[in-house]
Amino acid sequence: MKNEFDDNSGAGADGMRNAVRSELVRSELVRSEMVRTVVRLAGRARALRITGAVAALVVLFFASVMGVAAVDAVVRFPGVLRGIMLAVIAGFMFVDMRKVVLPAFRFKPQPVDIALRIERMRPELQGKLASAVEFELSGAARGSALAARAIRDAEDRSSGASLGKVIRWKPMGTRFAAALLCVGSAIGFAIVEPDTASIAARRVLMPWSDAVWPARTALAGMIVDGSVAARGRPLALRARMTEGEAERERVRAEYRVTRDSVVGDWIEVGLARQPSGEFERFVDADGERIEVRFMTSDATTEIATVRLVAPPAIASAQARIEPPAYAARAVQLRVEDLGDCSGSRGILRDPILAGSQIVFDLRMTRALAFDPAHSPLKQVSSSGAEPGATTMPVAIVVDEADGAHWTVSCSAVEATRLALTLIDSDGIAGENEIILAFDTIADRPPSATIVEPVQDESVVVDARIAMRADARDDIGLAKAGIEIATRIGKDSVESMVFEEPAQVMASANGEEGVATEASVERMLDIAKLKLSAGDSIVLRAYAQDAFDGGSVQPAHERVRSAPRILRIVG
């Protein structure tokens, strides 16, 4: 740094001596105006040196603070980095104080030094001015004619010369003007933008404070605070920028998960911009709750907390198949364990008799509300009914004392697939639809066959003919036997004479049951029928089951076999 006066040879002079000389000047004991001028120039040089040093310190402080604030307004430095910058500014100011300001205050140029500097600038005064100043300040001129003559000679030579040119005003003026500019700019900006100026000052000079710049972007999180999501499923973190350039801005999210009442660390992830303009990222959400906040370079949303609940599911299930009443003695009550109904476990292995009542006993993992107005059940039958169409009445009953206990019951009319969607009160659906499906087997009509006679025959009026008939049914026979009818002459009208019934009840372990097969063997004595030649006897095996389809299907008619004709000959 250039000084207003560079020669510092008198900096170590005796202080008392300087004080005495200053007193002489103030008491007007110095009679030479030339010497008085030199003494004043010495004081002015010191004042300029101090003023320039202080102005440079002011420029350094304000320029550094304003520069850091301007860059921080664009970049948004974190608090730690701003603290480092403040330390650097303080370091530079300390160095400037030590190297410039303190030396300026210590700088005390002597009038003789000023005179020597003037001599270097004005050759005509060389060897004259410094001696005259020394004689005058020491008082030698009052006791020595030679000293007085030297002073007068110096005055004559300096007459009309501008001695003040020895002082350089421009360096100090430049620094002072720069200091005024910095201080004026800071004051003007504080008047025009007081809030911004306050933020800038606090962020630079108090980096630990909570001062923040006004955000250039605005962000809205798409997650509602206090909402509920499915535990164990990926959770979509979504946000939308409401201000700023979405194409250039990097949107991030921070989240932490609480597991077993232990709060995890914050995890930062970047969000990908979607064609819709939103930003999205899926994260694992396995815990009791998850806290999320979204961030841009200068904006942060409030923390949104999402409660995580396990999706509703089936803990255990059983199917109870009760046959129709008419088949109760033929078909046993059936209970089948369906486990948790995952995959194909809800599909019954074996078909069930059409008309049976089937009850699915379901135990949920937790209580679920049931709204009859919005049934969670979709039904598809083998008849090709559209999904969701009701092909048969299906009842869902929720235990009032235990909301986790549901029963789904229906009558098995045809092969049916029931799709049950479990949704809790928070709108959380189960992982997959619960499939309850079964196939049905219809109760087929019985069959009846004449075994003997093997074919139509011609017999005499007193013949004895062996008869045998067999009957079968898939569930159980109600009636079976042989029908015997006659035809008189060539008349094709048959008249029933009688029936030979078969035993259709079976017994096992002392209990009566229903037989699925029955046979009857009889001997027909034609003479007892009192027929004559030309008449005919018609034999038919018959069978009838106990099927009762109710209003869905009519009862099976009696089944008869093909007739056996016995023609009477003379």
Side-chain angles (χ1 to χ4, degrees), residues 67-88:
V68 171
V71 177
D72 180 55
V74 177
V75 181
R76 312 296 169 96
F77 294 123
V80 174
L81 189 54
R82 284 183 279 119
I84 295 174
M85 291 181 175
L86 178 61
V88 172

mmCIF file of all heavy atoms in Angstrom, residues 67-88:
data_model
loop_
_atom_site.group_PDB
_atom_site.id
_atom_site.type_symbol
_atom_site.label_atom_id
_atom_site.label_comp_id
_atom_site.label_asym_id
_atom_site.label_seq_id
_atom_site.Cartn_x
_atom_site.Cartn_y
_atom_site.Cartn_z
ATOM 1 N N GLY A 67 -19.998 -8.932 -0.945
ATOM 2 C CA GLY A 67 -19.670 -9.944 -1.952
ATOM 3 C C GLY A 67 -20.148 -11.321 -1.559
ATOM 4 O O GLY A 67 -20.760 -12.050 -2.367
ATOM 5 N N VAL A 68 -19.875 -11.705 -0.297
ATOM 6 C CA VAL A 68 -20.332 -13.024 0.168
ATOM 7 C C VAL A 68 -21.857 -13.088 0.170
ATOM 8 O O VAL A 68 -22.459 -14.098 -0.218
ATOM 9 C CB VAL A 68 -19.774 -13.309 1.576
ATOM 10 C CG1 VAL A 68 -20.418 -14.564 2.163
ATOM 11 C CG2 VAL A 68 -18.272 -13.474 1.521
ATOM 12 N N ALA A 69 -22.520 -11.987 0.584
ATOM 13 C CA ALA A 69 -23.978 -11.976 0.604
ATOM 14 C C ALA A 69 -24.553 -12.127 -0.798
ATOM 15 O O ALA A 69 -25.547 -12.836 -1.006
ATOM 16 C CB ALA A 69 -24.481 -10.685 1.248
ATOM 17 N N ALA A 70 -23.932 -11.460 -1.784
ATOM 18 C CA ALA A 70 -24.425 -11.549 -3.160
ATOM 19 C C ALA A 70 -24.300 -12.970 -3.696
ATOM 20 O O ALA A 70 -25.228 -13.500 -4.324
ATOM 21 C CB ALA A 70 -23.660 -10.563 -4.047
ATOM 22 N N VAL A 71 -23.141 -13.582 -3.452
ATOM 23 C CA VAL A 71 -22.955 -14.964 -3.921
ATOM 24 C C VAL A 71 -23.885 -15.909 -3.168
ATOM 25 O O VAL A 71 -24.470 -16.824 -3.745
ATOM 26 C CB VAL A 71 -21.486 -15.391 -3.763
ATOM 27 C CG1 VAL A 71 -21.304 -16.845 -4.168
ATOM 28 C CG2 VAL A 71 -20.586 -14.489 -4.591
ATOM 29 N N ASP A 72 -24.053 -15.672 -1.859
ATOM 30 C CA ASP A 72 -24.928 -16.535 -1.056
ATOM 31 C C ASP A 72 -26.376 -16.431 -1.516
ATOM 32 O O ASP A 72 -27.117 -17.413 -1.483
ATOM 33 C CB ASP A 72 -24.814 -16.147 0.418
ATOM 34 C CG ASP A 72 -25.693 -16.989 1.306
ATOM 35 O OD1 ASP A 72 -25.573 -18.237 1.250
ATOM 36 O OD2 ASP A 72 -26.520 -16.433 2.039
ATOM 37 N N ALA A 73 -26.778 -15.247 -1.970
ATOM 38 C CA ALA A 73 -28.149 -15.087 -2.455
ATOM 39 C C ALA A 73 -28.418 -15.943 -3.672
ATOM 40 O O ALA A 73 -29.555 -16.367 -3.916
ATOM 41 C CB ALA A 73 -28.406 -13.615 -2.783
ATOM 42 N N VAL A 74 -27.358 -16.229 -4.430
ATOM 43 C CA VAL A 74 -27.518 -17.061 -5.630
ATOM 44 C C VAL A 74 -27.328 -18.537 -5.322
ATOM 45 O O VAL A 74 -28.122 -19.388 -5.728
ATOM 46 C CB VAL A 74 -26.519 -16.608 -6.717
ATOM 47 C CG1 VAL A 74 -26.616 -17.511 -7.943
ATOM 48 C CG2 VAL A 74 -26.767 -15.158 -7.101
ATOM 49 N N VAL A 75 -26.274 -18.834 -4.561
ATOM 50 C CA VAL A 75 -25.902 -20.237 -4.333
ATOM 51 C C VAL A 75 -26.600 -20.828 -3.118
ATOM 52 O O VAL A 75 -26.849 -22.024 -3.062
ATOM 53 C CB VAL A 75 -24.365 -20.347 -4.189
ATOM 54 C CG1 VAL A 75 -23.940 -21.783 -3.970
ATOM 55 C CG2 VAL A 75 -23.683 -19.762 -5.413
ATOM 56 N N ARG A 76 -26.922 -19.989 -2.108
ATOM 57 C CA ARG A 76 -27.535 -20.446 -0.859
ATOM 58 C C ARG A 76 -26.584 -21.381 -0.112
ATOM 59 O O ARG A 76 -26.811 -22.592 -0.025
ATOM 60 C CB ARG A 76 -28.877 -21.122 -1.115
ATOM 61 C CG ARG A 76 -29.822 -20.347 -2.027
ATOM 62 C CD ARG A 76 -30.242 -19.034 -1.424
ATOM 63 N NE ARG A 76 -30.935 -18.156 -2.343
ATOM 64 C CZ ARG A 76 -32.267 -18.059 -2.457
ATOM 65 N NH1 ARG A 76 -33.029 -18.834 -1.717
ATOM 66 N NH2 ARG A 76 -32.812 -17.214 -3.293
ATOM 67 N N PHE A 77 -25.503 -20.804 0.421
ATOM 68 C CA PHE A 77 -24.513 -21.607 1.131
ATOM 69 C C PHE A 77 -25.101 -22.182 2.415
ATOM 70 O O PHE A 77 -25.909 -21.531 3.083
ATOM 71 C CB PHE A 77 -23.289 -20.759 1.491
ATOM 72 C CG PHE A 77 -22.499 -20.279 0.317
ATOM 73 C CD1 PHE A 77 -22.267 -18.926 0.118
ATOM 74 C CD2 PHE A 77 -21.993 -21.175 -0.602
ATOM 75 C CE1 PHE A 77 -21.541 -18.479 -0.967
ATOM 76 C CE2 PHE A 77 -21.262 -20.749 -1.685
ATOM 77 C CZ PHE A 77 -21.037 -19.395 -1.881
ATOM 78 N N PRO A 78 -24.672 -23.357 2.812
ATOM 79 C CA PRO A 78 -25.076 -23.888 4.119
ATOM 80 C C PRO A 78 -24.414 -23.109 5.250
ATOM 81 O O PRO A 78 -23.423 -22.392 5.053
ATOM 82 C CB PRO A 78 -24.598 -25.338 4.076
ATOM 83 C CG PRO A 78 -23.493 -25.359 3.088
ATOM 84 C CD PRO A 78 -23.828 -24.308 2.068
ATOM 85 N N GLY A 79 -24.936 -23.257 6.460
ATOM 86 C CA GLY A 79 -24.439 -22.500 7.592
ATOM 87 C C GLY A 79 -22.971 -22.743 7.882
ATOM 88 O O GLY A 79 -22.232 -21.810 8.242
ATOM 89 N N VAL A 80 -22.520 -23.981 7.733
ATOM 90 C CA VAL A 80 -21.116 -24.288 8.017
ATOM 91 C C VAL A 80 -20.204 -23.531 7.070
ATOM 92 O O VAL A 80 -19.190 -22.935 7.483
ATOM 93 C CB VAL A 80 -20.876 -25.812 7.913
ATOM 94 C CG1 VAL A 80 -19.396 -26.124 8.062
ATOM 95 C CG2 VAL A 80 -21.689 -26.553 8.964
ATOM 96 N N LEU A 81 -20.541 -23.515 5.795
ATOM 97 C CA LEU A 81 -19.699 -22.823 4.816
ATOM 98 C C LEU A 81 -19.719 -21.321 5.054
ATOM 99 O O LEU A 81 -18.688 -20.635 4.922
ATOM 100 C CB LEU A 81 -20.174 -23.151 3.401
ATOM 101 C CG LEU A 81 -19.285 -22.676 2.255
ATOM 102 C CD1 LEU A 81 -17.865 -23.175 2.427
ATOM 103 C CD2 LEU A 81 -19.854 -23.132 0.913
ATOM 104 N N ARG A 82 -20.887 -20.781 5.443
ATOM 105 C CA ARG A 82 -20.950 -19.356 5.747
ATOM 106 C C ARG A 82 -20.109 -19.028 6.979
ATOM 107 O O ARG A 82 -19.512 -17.953 7.079
ATOM 108 C CB ARG A 82 -22.396 -18.931 5.953
ATOM 109 C CG ARG A 82 -23.169 -18.794 4.640
ATOM 110 C CD ARG A 82 -24.576 -18.302 4.846
ATOM 111 N NE ARG A 82 -25.475 -19.368 5.251
ATOM 112 C CZ ARG A 82 -26.147 -19.408 6.391
ATOM 113 N NH1 ARG A 82 -26.008 -18.423 7.264
ATOM 114 N NH2 ARG A 82 -26.946 -20.405 6.681
ATOM 115 N N GLY A 83 -20.057 -19.936 7.937
ATOM 116 C CA GLY A 83 -19.204 -19.733 9.104
ATOM 117 C C GLY A 83 -17.732 -19.693 8.727
ATOM 118 O O GLY A 83 -16.958 -18.873 9.250
ATOM 119 N N ILE A 84 -17.355 -20.565 7.794
ATOM 120 C CA ILE A 84 -15.962 -20.559 7.327
ATOM 121 C C ILE A 84 -15.647 -19.249 6.615
ATOM 122 O O ILE A 84 -14.575 -18.643 6.810
ATOM 123 C CB ILE A 84 -15.718 -21.768 6.404
ATOM 124 C CG1 ILE A 84 -15.855 -23.078 7.206
ATOM 125 C CG2 ILE A 84 -14.344 -21.679 5.756
ATOM 126 C CD1 ILE A 84 -15.774 -24.326 6.356
ATOM 127 N N MET A 85 -16.596 -18.774 5.796
ATOM 128 C CA MET A 85 -16.379 -17.511 5.083
ATOM 129 C C MET A 85 -16.249 -16.352 6.061
ATOM 130 O O MET A 85 -15.423 -15.448 5.873
ATOM 131 C CB MET A 85 -17.529 -17.263 4.112
ATOM 132 C CG MET A 85 -17.559 -18.212 2.930
ATOM 133 S SD MET A 85 -18.914 -17.851 1.802
ATOM 134 C CE MET A 85 -18.561 -19.041 0.500
ATOM 135 N N LEU A 86 -17.075 -16.351 7.122
ATOM 136 C CA LEU A 86 -16.970 -15.290 8.122
ATOM 137 C C LEU A 86 -15.599 -15.326 8.802
ATOM 138 O O LEU A 86 -14.990 -14.276 9.055
ATOM 139 C CB LEU A 86 -18.080 -15.439 9.157
ATOM 140 C CG LEU A 86 -18.074 -14.423 10.298
ATOM 141 C CD1 LEU A 86 -18.230 -13.002 9.747
ATOM 142 C CD2 LEU A 86 -19.190 -14.733 11.301
ATOM 143 N N ALA A 87 -15.119 -16.523 9.076
ATOM 144 C CA ALA A 87 -13.789 -16.647 9.685
ATOM 145 C C ALA A 87 -12.706 -16.119 8.745
ATOM 146 O O ALA A 87 -11.741 -15.468 9.186
ATOM 147 C CB ALA A 87 -13.522 -18.106 10.046
ATOM 148 N N VAL A 88 -12.853 -16.367 7.443
ATOM 149 C CA VAL A 88 -11.873 -15.860 6.470
ATOM 150 C C VAL A 88 -11.902 -14.330 6.436
ATOM 151 O O VAL A 88 -10.845 -13.665 6.415
ATOM 152 C CB VAL A 88 -12.155 -16.451 5.079
ATOM 153 C CG1 VAL A 88 -11.277 -15.777 4.022
ATOM 154 C CG2 VAL A 88 -11.898 -17.958 5.086
#
